[in-house]
Amino acid sequence: MITQKSEHIKLDTELIRKDFPILNRSINNFPLIYFDNGATTQKPNQVIEAITNYYSNTNSNIHRGVHTLSREATEAFEVARKTIASHFKIKNEQQLIFTSGTTDSLNIISAGLSRSVLKNGDEIILSSYEHHSNILTWQLWAGENNGKLKIIPLKNDHSLDYEALEKLITPKTKIIAITHVSNTLGLVTDLTQIKAIAKKHNLIIVVDGAQSAPHMEVDLTELDVDFFVCSAHKIYGPTGTGILYMSEKWLRALPTTKPGGGTIKTVSFEKTEYAEGALRFEAGTPNIEGVIGFAAAINYLNRWGMKIIHEYELGLVNYAQYKLSEIPEVIVYGQSTNKAAVISFNVKDVHPFDVGTLLDKYGIAVRTGHHCTQPLMAILCVPGTVRISFAIYNTKTEIDFFIEKLKKVISMLK
Ligand SMILES: Cc1ncc(COP(=O)(O)O)c(C=O)c1O
């Protein structure tokens, strides 16, 4: 039963909205309402300016120059590492490796584990609501190594069936790779339960935090998992940048699978000695401006802190769920009052593309389709859903407008 829960800690959204230039845009003569934050968030001036400033004043390659610009660029890059590590409560910033995003990070993890831990015939556990990025890399390994993917099923309310998880585990099970928040349903995985089970069976835990990091406090010291990954562009930062956190054990033990300039101490044609720490995994010239922009985004969020942001967005999500539950033609998937800013729904007997296309006529950006979770779509027996996902600049007034126009769209399509 969804009740109207409208009280939430007030962020000054009017002020926040002024930081996001794109929110001044009109789409089809309506003010833009951007509800596609799960795909990527908009960027505040603070991030845009950090990138412009880097290119205007500091641009140079890092880690290998003695000249002023190179030293300044290196310093800005390494300060960014410290800022982001501190945000995620990572004790040793070397445990924070910069990658091109969640997908890249997951590929680096699976390549490393497949060379060190996984043996022919081993098993990996995933959940029913994984993003394709956290399926394909393991599936590729399984296909080539007689391995098996085992899937945690969903209960009737679309939450994960944790009791069924333990029954999936055999002596051949080595890894649980699981999303922290479902990008389609917004449901939050109970990592405490996952960790308890994984510890009991000595399993490696890989957490896909692409959809949790933007919406909630993530304390990686407390979480204490083997790997955690996320993308900057979903957290108000630039595209092409992400992080790969690994425990101290894996920082030393995960094999290098992506070698290149910057990852080494010494090289001869006979032998290479690799660098220690994060550098061992950061091959080639990294996305310097992306990392600097990401740190600017993190500094921006920390004006309020993730606790306040989470509560504000929870207020939005529960308000929107309540409003949607009043429309008889709407089916919400994975209804829960503990969600992270994402709601998936369908209008009965209407294709989600039609709903999304018509909402765009009113300037409302929603995502439609399978959201890179085709196996979940098969479980829900739908071709796709309409997904709305919120950020700190969204408001209840926008939700009211969206609900009004959704009702209009339904009346046009029915
Ligand atoms: C849960 C989840 N995992 C992985 C990804 C892939 O992220 P990226 O495209 O930034 O690598 C996404 C993106 O939508 C996601 O939501």
Side-chain angles (χ1 to χ4, degrees), residues 38-40 100-106 129-134 179-184 208-212 229-234 239-242 371-373 387:
T40 198
S100 73
T102 302
T103 305
D104 188 28
S105 299
L106 289 167
Y129 50 48
E130 291 313 312
H131 187 280
H132 294 164
S133 289
N134 198 29
T179 188
H180 199 176
V181 166
S182 158
N183 68 304
T184 300
D208 173 353
Q211 297 291 341
S212 61
V229 301
C230 65
S231 300
H233 71 94
K234 295 182 195 287
T239 52
T241 305
H371 318 296
C372 291
T373 54
R387 183 183 73 177

